[in-house]
Amino acid sequence: MIPGGSLGALPQQVTFSQPVEALSVSSEAVSRGKQERVYIGNRDKFHMRGMVSFLINSLPSDATVVSATLRLFVVSYENFSAGVPLDVGVYKLDKDFVEEEVSWERASAGDQWLTPGGDYSSADLLGSFEFDEEDFGSGTVDTIVVLLDTLTINQLIRSGEENFPLLLVPGDQDAWFSMVARELSPEAAVASLLDLTYKVVGSTTNAALERRTKGDATVTEFDGSLDPTMLTVGDTPASQTFLKYDLSQLPRDATINRALLNVSVFDAAYVDTFHVVVFTSGSGEYVDYESAAVSVSQGVGLDSDSLALDITIGLQRALALDSTGTSYYVGLGSNTAVNVGGYVQFYPPDWSEASRRPVLNLIYSDAPENAKP
Amino acid sequence: MKRKSENILMRTVIALMLSVMLFSQSPLRADSRFAAPHLGLPVGSMDARSRGMGGVGTALGGESFSFTNPARTINFWRSGFSGGMSQDYTTMEDGAGSYDTRSSNFLGLRGIFPSYYGFVLGFGLRQWRDMNYEYTDTVDVDFLENPVARHMESEGSLYLGRLSVARNLGDHLALGLGIDWMFGEAERTRTMQFFPSGDFVNSRDAFNDKYSFVRPTLGLFSTFGRTNFGFSWSASVDGDQERELIYRENNQYSGILVEQAKKLEFPTNWRLGVSHRIGSSLVVASDLEFEGWGDSDLQLENPVIAGDQWTWCLGAELLPRRGEGTPWYRAFPVRAGYSRTTYGYEIGGDRVGEQVFSLGVGSYFGRNNGLLNVALEYIDREVDNPAYPKEDVIRVMVSLSLFEKWTRIPRRSRRGD
């Protein structure tokens, strides 16, 4: 009784064994200043340092700091060298960094570090601590308290410096921990804190100043190598993969209900988690994920040699921009909002073994005739 | 004392009916799947007096707010407003099972004003066609692990606004002219839901149609002794159909609109009625209505083909008694009626239609300045083919009318009345 033109046809399935085009492009290291955690430590070939910066310009120029305490709020950790604590040194950075632009290679856009990983002098060691997971309860936020040398701070105050940038450098142990970044809860005082107690000449009263970090970031180094013949989606090293499919065989008004890109994994590694986002691009050039992502990120595991990546929304977007789908790439990139270091490499479409090539499995349903222009 | 007890009884009846309408546990859902193949279902008079008599109204005397004949308003000697609504309790049976649904309808609002020089003015708005329907099923698809749930729904109605004027042309004949403005829309959505839900993007395609036309209606009303004759005719017009496609919602295509406009021929309608008063306590009436959908260019889908819409109705009203010794159940008019409608389409050569059995009562209140009419209908919709669904509907209708005490009395001459 319901007209077929209103009810429409049933879903259909189509498989694409070959894309029109597939390529991977790399980029310089991305900044993680906007992430909600700061990572410090090592995971295999990934090395992470933390940077935090505080404002000290509200102290009187004749103030003398009598104590400085750094408080870090730890939320997660991993130790692959069981029983061996992670050594962490706190150094003064030679120059401040721009939170949204800082990376292993640069302090800000156009301002490279002289030494990748942040410029500091070993003489500027302000404090140190050992991170031992036994000191921390599971699933809770615990605090690391580090007493800092006040001499350097007083020198900075005397010289009129406004910023107090610090670098947290881990030892060589295969362990890491993450702490709360100020982006996690912008209004709450659970990001890194600097407590200063100082006195002013002629005054007998000590005053306290508590400063929430004005900027914090992770910088990550990868000292391994990748196979350039594979398609790569990575964060560190930064790489994105673009695929283009001829979707002209789909009805013009069809909805793509599910598009799974089945890939065979060649190699994968990451620090904590690795999330992939899907986007659409007309150029096939490396894109900023925040402006291009069209789907929620998908977590990728290390325990499988194959992955089914959901690229439904990316293909829908490509079809919305061009009804044949051939003008736009579906891109796969790292979710740089959460990934601190990692990559996935998978076999390309021209790989000799057909069973390892990417296969796109697509389910669509055409619009009812009455809903077509 | 007796009058007081009658009022209490009526109020009790109203309270019970409203309670049933408002607090029913059935889901508020579709009206009828029979609305799907055509431009909805035709909706009869908004006036519960007329509906209690099977829908007659073209030649009915007295204060009836039925829209059927613009000349018939000449019977009003005082101003009045009336509004009506209904509640449907539908049981539908198809091959998959039986479904109970409930739906409410605003049937209409009308005002009639006797004015200067014997003219009677009227305005109103009523539901003309009901476009609501809903359909759900699940289908197995060989490459999917779970069945797909399909859902098709249409929400909307077409409404007819009328401005009318009527006047006596002599002792036996009155003429009425009306300008009808039809407008309304149906918002239709087809969805396909996949399971498990997080693994798929569901399909949601929406297509909305807006309809409108303006057309004249001519009415005649004639009285000879105890017999009234009525006739109304509405012209065939080219109306507008504006289609709005919001296809592929809930994904990257959300908000994409395609708007199309075209002309749609709305057919002529005529209605012929007669009523006769037998003795002092019984009125019988009959109407025949035609709407020429067979000639319309409305696009229908195979195996549905266009046909003309015919309705005939038969009704009787037992008038109330007055005076001492009248039992309470004779203090109200009691009505009964029957009507049969063949819709404007056939399915595979089988006619589709409904028959209605109706009962009704009414009562003036507030020193005759208010009038409450209630009708109860049993509607049976079916096709002459067991492969299609069958619907049984219990419809409760209430119309409330308020007369001149609450409205400004026009300064008018009663010359010629």
Side-chain angles (χ1 to χ4, degrees):
Chain A
M1 182 147 273
I2 308 298
S6 297
L7 197 55
L10 291 175
Q12 301 293 315
Q13 180 177 237
V14 61
T15 299
F16 295 84
S17 55
Q18 278 294 328
V20 175
E21 194 178 346
L23 67 150
S24 286
V25 293
S26 57
S27 163
E28 64 178 21
V30 294
S31 171
R32 291 184 189 80
K34 293 180 182 175
Q35 289 188 351
E36 296 179 344
R37 295 186 188 186
V38 176
Y39 286 77
I40 296 153
N42 308 289
R43 175 65 188 121
D44 197 15
K45 294 172 182 172
F46 298 98
H47 309 291
M48 298 150 292
R49 293 177 176 178
M51 293 183 178
V52 291
S53 184
F54 300 91
L55 278 173
I56 54 172
N57 57 352
S58 61
L59 268 72
S61 60
D62 56 351
T64 301
V65 174
V66 294
S67 77
T69 306
L70 178 66
R71 298 181 191 279
L72 310 172
F73 297 89
V74 176
V75 288
S76 64
Y77 56 85
E78 198 85 58
N79 190 350
F80 300 93
S81 308
V84 182
L86 177 66
D87 298 321
V88 180
V90 181
Y91 296 85
K92 186 187 84 65
L93 271 171
D94 290 350
K95 59 184 174 186
D96 200 12
F97 58 91
V98 176
E99 187 180 39
E100 298 82 7
E101 298 169 0
V102 65
S103 69
W104 189 267
E105 283 80 22
R106 67 188 192 191
S108 62
D111 184 9
Q112 301 290 110
W113 299 113
L114 295 175
T115 306
D119 299 338
Y120 69 99
S121 166
S122 56
D124 286 335
L125 177 67
L126 305 180
S128 64
F129 60 94
E130 283 187 343
F131 179 82
D132 190 342
E133 74 274 20
E134 293 177 0
D135 298 336
F136 295 89
S138 176
T140 60
V141 175
D142 287 291
T143 311
I144 295 174
V145 178
V146 190
L147 295 177
L148 302 182
D149 177 21
T150 57
L151 181 62
T152 305
I153 302 174
N154 284 321
Q155 287 173 345
L156 289 173
I157 294 169
R158 297 285 178 274
S159 63
E161 281 286 338
E162 295 186 346
N163 301 307
F164 184 39
L166 300 174
L167 179 66
L168 283 74
V169 181
D172 295 332
Q173 298 91 340
D174 197 8
W176 58 263
F177 70 93
S178 72
M179 59 190 198
V180 174
R182 66 191 192 96
E183 285 78 4
L184 181 65
S185 183
E187 304 303 322
V190 288
S192 305
L193 293 174
L194 179 65
D195 297 341
L196 297 179
T197 306
Y198 64 92
K199 63 181 180 180
V200 178
V201 177
S203 169
T204 57
T205 307
N206 287 347
L209 178 72
E210 184 180 270
R211 273 280 166 252
R212 191 169 185 262
T213 177
K214 76 174 180 70
D216 47 24
T218 308
V219 294
T220 307
E221 178 198 30
F222 174 69
D223 62 6
S225 60
L226 301 179
D227 186 332
T229 63
M230 296 292 154
L231 296 176
T232 306
V233 178
D235 190 276
T236 304
S239 183
Q240 294 173 342
T241 290
F242 295 86
L243 298 151
K244 188 183 280 186
Y245 284 93
D246 180 1
L247 303 174
S248 58
Q249 64 177 282
L250 300 185
R252 187 177 178 277
D253 299 301
T255 291
I256 297 175
N257 304 110
R258 189 177 72 181
L260 291 181
L261 182 66
N262 298 286
V263 298
S264 290
V265 176
F266 170 76
D267 187 21
Y270 52 80
V271 176
D272 187 6
T273 59
F274 191 71
H275 283 251
V276 173
V277 290
V278 177
F279 49 86
T280 306
S281 167
S283 65
E285 296 172 353
Y286 195 93
V287 295
D288 172 25
Y289 111 94
E290 285 188 329
S291 61
V294 293
S295 72
V296 294
S297 63
Q298 306 163 60
V300 170
L302 284 176
D303 54 350
S304 174
D305 59 359
S306 63
L307 288 175
L309 297 167
D310 187 342
I311 62 169
T312 309
I313 303 297
L315 280 183
Q316 284 185 352
R317 183 73 184 148
L319 270 178
L321 295 168
D322 165 43
S323 61
T324 67
T326 53
S327 299
Y328 288 86
Y329 296 92
V330 172
L332 297 166
S334 162
N335 182 351
T336 55
V338 296
N339 295 337
V340 68
Y343 62 86
V344 171
Q345 284 201 298
F346 49 90
Y347 291 88
D350 56 357
W351 191 251
S352 55
E353 296 172 76
S355 62
R356 292 190 181 277
R357 296 171 188 161
V359 173
L360 174 61
N361 215 313
L362 195 146
I363 293 171
Y364 69 89
S365 48
D366 196 6
E369 287 303 313
N370 290 338
K372 291 182 179 179
Chain B
M1 203 54 200
K2 185 177 178 184
R3 171 74 66 184
K4 191 176 177 183
S5 65
E6 288 166 2
N7 285 340
I8 291 171
L9 180 70
M10 276 310 288
R11 286 171 189 160
T12 305
V13 170
I14 295 166
L16 280 172
M17 299 192 93
L18 289 176
S19 299
V20 169
M21 291 168 80
L22 295 174
F23 301 111
S24 168
Q25 294 301 307
S26 302
L28 189 59
R29 258 192 10 176
D31 280 12
S32 173
R33 265 186 218 173
F34 286 80
H38 199 256
L39 195 65
L41 285 184
V43 178
S45 167
M46 54 153 272
D47 181 55
R49 179 189 175 205
S50 167
R51 295 288 280 263
M53 298 174 70
V56 298
T58 312
L60 214 53
E63 292 174 323
S64 165
F65 285 87
S66 164
F67 276 74
T68 48
N69 182 359
R72 217 199 50 73
T73 58
I74 202 69
N75 291 313
F76 280 72
W77 58 271
R78 57 177 177 169
S79 304
F81 285 101
S82 184
M85 63 175 293
S86 72
Q87 182 90 290
D88 286 6
Y89 303 88
T90 304
T91 300
M92 194 203 69
E93 290 177 24
D94 62 11
S98 176
Y99 313 90
D100 293 325
T101 63
R102 176 170 71 93
S103 58
S104 298
N105 278 313
F106 159 72
L107 295 175
L109 187 68
R110 195 159 201 216
I112 293 173
F113 301 93
S115 186
Y116 304 102
Y117 306 109
F119 287 102
V120 179
L121 306 176
F123 72 87
L125 179 69
R126 77 173 179 99
Q127 189 182 16
W128 181 52
R129 299 190 80 86
D130 187 342
M131 316 276 275
N132 289 292
Y133 68 86
E134 192 174 22
Y135 175 79
T136 301
D137 67 3
T138 55
V139 286
D140 291 318
V141 180
D142 55 4
F143 53 83
L144 292 174
E145 189 177 339
N146 299 302
V148 176
R150 291 191 301 181
H151 182 74
M152 174 72 214
E153 69 176 30
S154 168
E155 284 186 23
S157 283
L158 302 185
Y159 293 94
L160 202 63
R162 173 173 289 178
L163 282 173
S164 67
V165 60
R167 194 182 192 285
N168 280 325
L169 297 181
D171 292 339
H172 298 287
L173 184 65
L175 173 69
L177 292 171
I179 293 294
D180 295 344
W181 173 40
M182 188 281 288
F183 62 95
E185 64 178 333
E187 295 182 351
R188 305 187 185 95
T189 307
R190 191 288 307 261
T191 56
M192 264 200 275
Q193 192 174 2
F194 296 79
F195 302 96
S197 57
D199 291 354
F200 294 85
V201 174
N202 294 327
S203 291
R204 180 178 166 86
D205 299 85
F207 49 108
N208 304 334
D209 282 310
K210 293 180 181 177
Y211 302 90
S212 63
F213 67 65
V214 176
R215 73 179 180 189
T217 292
L218 173 72
L220 294 170
F221 185 79
S222 176
T223 301
F224 293 95
R226 291 169 170 263
T227 305
N228 300 331
F229 297 96
F231 175 75
S232 77
W233 170 84
S234 298
S236 168
V237 289
D238 276 341
D240 295 315
Q241 178 182 355
E242 295 173 20
R243 173 157 285 194
E244 194 180 63
L245 306 177
I246 313 167
Y247 55 103
R248 291 174 282 184
E249 279 188 337
N250 286 342
N251 56 45
Q252 287 299 303
Y253 296 86
S254 291
I256 293 180
L257 290 180
V258 177
E259 294 181 341
Q260 299 165 321
K262 68 175 185 178
K263 290 292 182 185
L264 176 63
E265 183 186 350
F266 289 86
T268 187
N269 170 289
W270 58 257
R271 192 169 176 116
L272 188 63
V274 59
S275 74
H276 181 70
R277 182 165 177 156
I278 302 169
S280 61
S281 58
L282 186 65
V283 173
V284 292
S286 179
D287 276 16
L288 178 67
E289 184 184 37
F290 168 82
E291 206 156 86
W293 286 103
D295 297 328
S296 167
D297 52 5
L298 182 70
Q299 287 188 346
L300 303 176
E301 221 175 277
N302 188 42
V304 177
I305 57 170
D308 291 330
Q309 178 184 306
W310 285 94
T311 300
W312 66 267
C313 347
L314 190 63
E317 182 176 44
L318 190 62
L319 300 174
R321 274 194 211 151
R322 306 283 182 199
E324 292 293 324
T326 303
W328 68 267
Y329 54 85
R330 288 291 288 117
F332 309 101
V334 178
R335 302 158 189 139
Y338 173 81
S339 74
R340 190 174 187 91
T341 299
T342 50
Y343 297 146
Y345 65 93
E346 299 175 4
I347 301 179
D350 299 316
R351 295 311 305 257
V352 187
E354 66 178 30
Q355 55 179 341
V356 182
F357 300 89
S358 55
L359 293 171
V361 293
S363 177
Y364 283 100
F365 61 92
R367 298 176 186 272
N368 284 341
N369 289 313
L371 171 62
L372 179 76
N373 285 310
V374 181
L376 182 69
E377 294 181 340
Y378 167 74
I379 306 168
D380 170 43
R381 297 188 184 114
E382 57 186 309
V383 193
D384 291 338
N385 188 328
Y388 291 96
K390 182 177 183 302
E391 287 180 357
D392 296 318
V393 184
I394 299 293
R395 172 176 291 160
V396 182
M397 280 193 54
V398 176
S399 65
L400 179 66
S401 309
L402 301 175
F403 293 97
E404 218 160 61
K405 181 180 179 181
W406 291 282
T407 62
R408 185 179 172 191
I409 301 171
R411 293 170 55 199
R412 58 181 179 259
S413 162
R414 294 182 60 82
R415 182 165 56 92
D417 287 354

